[in-house]
């Protein structure tokens, strides 16, 4: 293994430079994806994202996610983004009564997973 020392001007972030180098080495086949991701200290998803050209439609699918400290925080952000109000059991029962649905709500919901 060789050691390379690079002086990076202050206007560049170390992480961005490492990511750029790692992505280029990966694209040229000098490193495999895992090695390149390790070099840049990023996930394989982030490496794939930064390795794709801007015009590639797959880039939208790989956009780096916002980091959340907990799964609950991530779920709450999705609920807020989608303006989720929660399941209104009373409203559902009123709709079922209006439609004259005979099966209990629990049975109907269990049928959705079959």
């Amino acid at each position: 293994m060789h050691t390379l020392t690079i002086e990076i001007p202050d206007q560049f972030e170390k992480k961005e430079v490492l990511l750029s180098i790692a992505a280029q080495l990966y694209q040229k086949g000098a490193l495999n994806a895992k090695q390149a991701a390790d070099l840049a200290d990023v996930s394989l998803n982030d490496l794939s994202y930064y390795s794709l050209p801007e015009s590639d439609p797959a880039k939208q699918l790989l956009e780096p996610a916002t980091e959340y400290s907990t799964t609950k925080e991530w779920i709450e952000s999705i609920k807020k983004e989608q303006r989720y109000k929660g399941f209104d059991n009373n409203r559902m029962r009123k709709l079922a009564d209006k439609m004259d649905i005979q099966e209990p709500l629990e049975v109907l919901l269990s049928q959705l997973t079959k």
Side-chain angles (χ1 to χ4, degrees), residues 44-56:
L44 288 170
N45 186 65
D46 287 350
L47 175 72
S48 299
Y49 175 80
Y50 290 107
S51 296
L52 291 172
E54 290 298 322
S55 59
D56 193 322

Side-chain angles (χ1 to χ4, degrees), residues 12-32:
F12 296 107
E13 292 288 327
K14 177 183 174 185
K15 187 167 181 135
E16 290 175 19
V17 172
L18 279 175
L19 185 55
S20 177
I21 292 169
Q24 289 180 35
L25 290 171
Y26 169 65
Q27 288 170 340
K28 292 181 186 224
L31 296 176
N32 66 33

Side-chain angles (χ1 to χ4, degrees), residues 54-107:
E54 290 298 322
S55 59
D56 193 322
K59 195 158 188 167
Q60 289 180 336
L61 299 173
L62 295 172
E63 281 189 58
T66 305
E67 296 296 322
Y68 298 98
S69 56
T70 65
T71 303
K72 185 175 181 175
E73 185 181 318
W74 173 62
I75 291 170
E76 291 304 317
S77 75
I78 292 172
K79 288 165 65 174
K80 183 178 178 183
E81 178 183 308
Q82 296 181 359
R83 297 185 182 125
Y84 178 71
K85 304 286 188 223
F87 184 78
D88 187 342
N89 203 4
N90 290 333
R91 182 171 177 249
M92 191 65 174
R93 290 201 188 280
K94 287 178 187 176
L95 287 171
D97 290 343
K98 188 176 179 179
M99 292 187 279
D100 195 30
I101 296 174
Q102 302 301 311
E103 295 86 356
L105 178 61
E106 292 74 22
V107 172

